[in-house]
Amino acid sequence: MDKPELLVMGVLPDWDLEPMAERYTLRLLYEAPDEAAFIAEHGAAIRGIVTKGEIGASAELMDRQPRLEIVACYGVGVDAIDRAYCAKRGIPVTNTPDVLTEDVADLAFALLLAAARRIPAADAWVRDGSWVREGSMPLTTRVWGKRMGIVGLGRIGSAVAKRAEGFGMAISYSGRSPKPGVPYAFHPSPAALAPEVDILVCCAMGGPTTQGLIDRAAIEALRPGAIFVNVSRGSVVDEPALLEALRSGRIAMAGLDVFWNEPAIDAEFASFPHVVLAPHAASGTVETRRAMGALMQENLAAHFAGRPLPTEVKP
């Protein structure tokens, strides 16, 4: 019996590709010198797409795959997958939730601490001899006991809140509606939340419904000296307004893992000494990536065996 053919959109670790190659015929789009010619050659036989959150799958791409049955995302974010098109064709979409929650929350706090305590600058202070020449580096900002506001109290936002509790923080949040049973103060919008906090952390899901959610009004409502952290998507924030606030000092420090135009981000971000940058790597641990790959493969195996999908993203 022929193995199902899968279109693999982006690079995956060998620990995922090797077992998948035993069960499926893999067509590696990312190795193709001419993507259009590659799809023209293989599209008619493709039964599944394996993609990543930042790559997604467009309607135009999927329309050239008449036998397509499933889109399996290696990651949580599915905003770059045309889900309306998938729903129209009855193509299920799966993702890998939960397994990366704690690592993303860890990085949110790592970025927060790195920005507030100026850890990259402290490292350089030791390495370049400034400690010997100039003595102690300038004082930094405390994180413990601050007021944290979380935009999006889903899985990741809730995990960030648990960590904030351990730092003695007063926690509040914004979202589409209040969460039942949550002890934190609710605000109906980021603009309403912003003036009440010292630290604003963006954990909202990406996609059209949240594009520009943290808008200019929210950014301008922050108190001068605020700290901003984003482990969500660059699209959730009005990036020109964010850059303006970083330039003026309204946002005193920031830790950013995501940007509007990744990886070719606005060069101005690299010019700010009070901003800590990461390359969209919040889930980038060996443990989490193994778990993500295993869950993605479970979804594929379930589909081709006719079983319920473990983590289907509902329309």
Side-chain angles (χ1 to χ4, degrees), residues 57-299:
S58 67
E60 191 273 334
L61 173 81
M62 293 185 283
D63 206 40
R64 291 181 287 165
Q65 299 169 56
R67 297 183 64 196
L68 184 64
E69 301 172 21
I70 184 172
V71 178
C73 183
Y74 178 83
V76 171
V78 294
D79 42 293
I81 298 170
D82 193 323
R83 291 171 58 201
Y85 177 89
C86 290
K88 189 186 303 182
R89 279 187 56 184
I91 299 168
V93 175
T94 66
N95 65 348
T96 60
D98 298 320
V99 296
L100 51 68
T101 297
E102 302 300 334
D103 278 354
V104 176
D106 276 356
L107 190 74
F109 252 84
L111 288 169
L112 170 58
L113 289 165
R117 300 302 302 270
R118 299 194 63 207
I119 291 173
D123 180 82
W125 196 266
V126 176
R127 291 176 186 272
D128 68 12
S130 295
W131 195 9
V132 174
R133 294 191 306 272
E134 302 180 43
S136 298
M137 67 177 282
L139 298 178
T140 61
T141 298
R142 170 188 287 178
V143 167
W144 181 89
K146 298 284 189 180
R147 298 171 303 165
M148 176 180 282
I150 300 172
V151 178
L153 199 71
R155 294 182 182 92
I156 293 168
S158 297
V160 169
K162 288 180 181 178
R163 286 156 177 76
E165 288 178 358
F167 279 75
M169 292 184 174
I171 303 161
S172 52
Y173 71 102
S174 68
R176 286 175 289 189
S177 59
K179 298 276 186 180
V182 169
Y184 316 131
F186 171 76
H187 297 272
S189 69
L193 174 65
E196 305 300 322
V197 301
D198 307 303
I199 301 162
L200 189 67
V201 182
C202 180
C203 300
M205 67 177 185
T209 60
T210 60
Q211 185 166 330
L213 176 65
I214 300 179
D215 56 12
R216 180 173 294 275
I219 291 171
E220 291 181 351
L222 288 166
R223 297 186 180 197
I227 303 173
F228 178 65
V229 175
N230 191 2
V231 290
S232 169
R233 287 287 191 271
S235 61
V236 177
V237 182
D238 181 335
E239 194 162 277
L242 172 60
L243 285 165
E244 186 177 315
L246 290 169
R247 207 179 295 128
S248 69
R250 172 171 291 277
I251 293 178
M253 288 152 277
L256 307 175
D257 184 50
V258 289
F259 307 86
W260 174 254
N261 189 32
E262 300 173 6
I265 69 171
D266 192 306
E268 190 175 6
F269 282 113
S271 72
F272 297 125
H274 55 304
V275 178
V276 179
L277 309 175
H280 200 153
S283 66
T285 67
V286 170
E287 296 88 347
T288 283
R289 292 298 168 86
R290 283 188 179 276
M292 287 166 58
L295 183 51
M296 178 191 69
Q297 291 181 63
E298 287 175 26
N299 278 295

Side-chain angles (χ1 to χ4, degrees), residues 5-7 46-50 65 68-71 300 304:
E5 294 197 20
L6 303 181
L7 182 70
I46 296 297
R47 295 177 61 191
I49 287 177
V50 173
Q65 299 169 56
L68 184 64
E69 301 172 21
I70 184 172
V71 178
L300 288 168
F304 288 112

